[in-house]
Amino acid sequence: DTAVSQTPKYLVTQMGNDKSIKCEQNLGHDTMYWYKQDSKKFLKIMFSYNNKELIINETVPNRFSPKSPDKAHLNLHINSLELGDSAVYFCASSLGRGGETQYFGPGTRLLVL
Amino acid sequence: RKEVEQDPGPFNVPEGATVAFNCTYSNSASQSFFWYRQDCRKEPKLLMSVYSSGNEDGRFTAQLNRASQYISLLIRDSKLSDSATYLCVVNLDTGRRALTFGSGTRLQVQP
């Protein structure tokens, strides 16, 4: 019974391609997040959605576009991938509107060649 | 000054040792505090929340010092399985409704 799941787990692609990562949570939580963890292991928030409404949109290139079809799903689409996009992308969810305990998915390791 | 700051380590300790990590945060109005654990190539997982009066969970003790704006994590009787990166996490209450993660302190427990 995976609480927060992400697909794919690994993604290797060429510069310039477009790719999507999907996230689903079965915890009944209202808020979902996307984080990026770079090679220095620093975990940085990118976006958060509460009940399909965008509430955090950090300074992220507009090549990154989140989409939340319902409160249990949050997808991340990346256009025109660049070398610097290589990182681990984590999805997370929390019960309230943010600032409380978050539960993470297993991560998607993206490598752009 | 970083919003949430930790010593990156690594802390190399023998099995059975007691080890403590500190973490400082920038906003005195910060609301909630957590320690997360992240194993190599895995996702962060909640270790424990940190309460104002301090709290203990088995071998782990967390403390909050609001006056000095730091939280601490004490691990007693270290096990090999405690080897991981420990992330200090704070709700800085800047109106952003998000958690801010420190860059983590790496612990290596040696036999």
Side-chain angles (χ1 to χ4, degrees):
Chain A
D1 285 354
T2 306
V4 183
S5 58
Q6 293 179 230
T7 53
K9 196 167 180 181
Y10 299 97
L11 192 48
V12 181
T13 188
Q14 299 284 335
M15 257 193 333
N17 284 350
D18 303 339
K19 290 292 177 187
S20 291
I21 309 171
K22 296 188 175 186
C23 178
E24 177 180 0
Q25 55 95 3
N26 63 7
L27 296 167
H29 286 170
D30 290 331
T31 304
M32 296 183 73
Y33 310 81
W34 278 113
Y35 287 86
K36 179 180 180 181
Q37 188 170 44
D38 59 26
S39 56
K40 294 183 179 170
K41 308 299 182 189
F42 187 58
L43 198 64
K44 189 172 178 187
I45 191 165
M46 301 171 70
F47 303 101
S48 74
Y49 271 76
N50 177 264
N51 276 320
K52 303 194 294 174
E53 177 194 353
L54 179 67
I55 54 173
I56 290 177
N57 184 352
E58 290 294 284
T59 311
V60 174
N62 57 15
R63 299 181 294 104
F64 290 79
S65 50
K67 276 200 173 61
S68 181
D70 55 61
K71 75 172 194 177
H73 295 85
L74 180 62
N75 303 323
L76 183 65
H77 188 75
I78 316 171
N79 288 326
S80 303
L81 278 154
E82 300 178 357
L83 295 177
D85 297 333
S86 297
V88 182
Y89 292 84
F90 287 103
C91 176
S93 71
S94 67
L95 187 58
R97 286 182 64 83
E100 60 285 315
T101 304
Q102 294 178 13
Y103 298 86
F104 284 78
T108 295
R109 280 156 183 78
L110 171 65
L111 178 60
V112 182
L113 302 174
Chain B
R1 181 185 175 183
K2 288 182 188 172
E3 291 179 311
V4 178
E5 195 151 11
Q6 296 181 251
D7 180 344
F11 284 58
N12 295 306
V13 302
E15 267 187 294
T18 296
V19 62
F21 311 134
N22 283 341
C23 162
T24 57
Y25 58 93
S26 59
N27 186 2
S28 60
S30 296
Q31 291 293 316
S32 46
F33 309 87
F34 310 89
W35 284 102
Y36 275 68
R37 170 191 170 133
Q38 187 171 23
D39 292 290
C40 188
R41 300 181 68 78
K42 298 284 189 182
E43 71 273 24
K45 289 184 178 173
L46 177 69
L47 179 66
M48 57 198 301
S49 301
V50 186
Y51 302 120
S52 297
S53 53
N55 48 299
E56 192 173 304
D57 182 1
R59 298 180 292 108
F60 299 84
T61 301
Q63 299 271 354
L64 167 63
N65 185 320
R66 283 195 182 272
S68 301
Q69 291 176 218
Y70 75 84
I71 67 172
S72 63
L73 177 68
L74 181 79
I75 306 175
R76 289 182 299 278
D77 188 22
S78 300
K79 312 287 184 197
L80 294 175
S81 57
D82 294 334
S83 298
T85 296
Y86 290 83
L87 303 170
C88 171
V89 184
V90 180
N91 175 2
L92 291 171
D93 193 33
T94 54
R96 209 174 60 147
R97 294 200 300 261
L99 297 179
T100 301
F101 286 74
S103 53
T105 297
R106 194 163 144 240
L107 172 65
Q108 185 68 46
V109 181
Q110 295 163 338

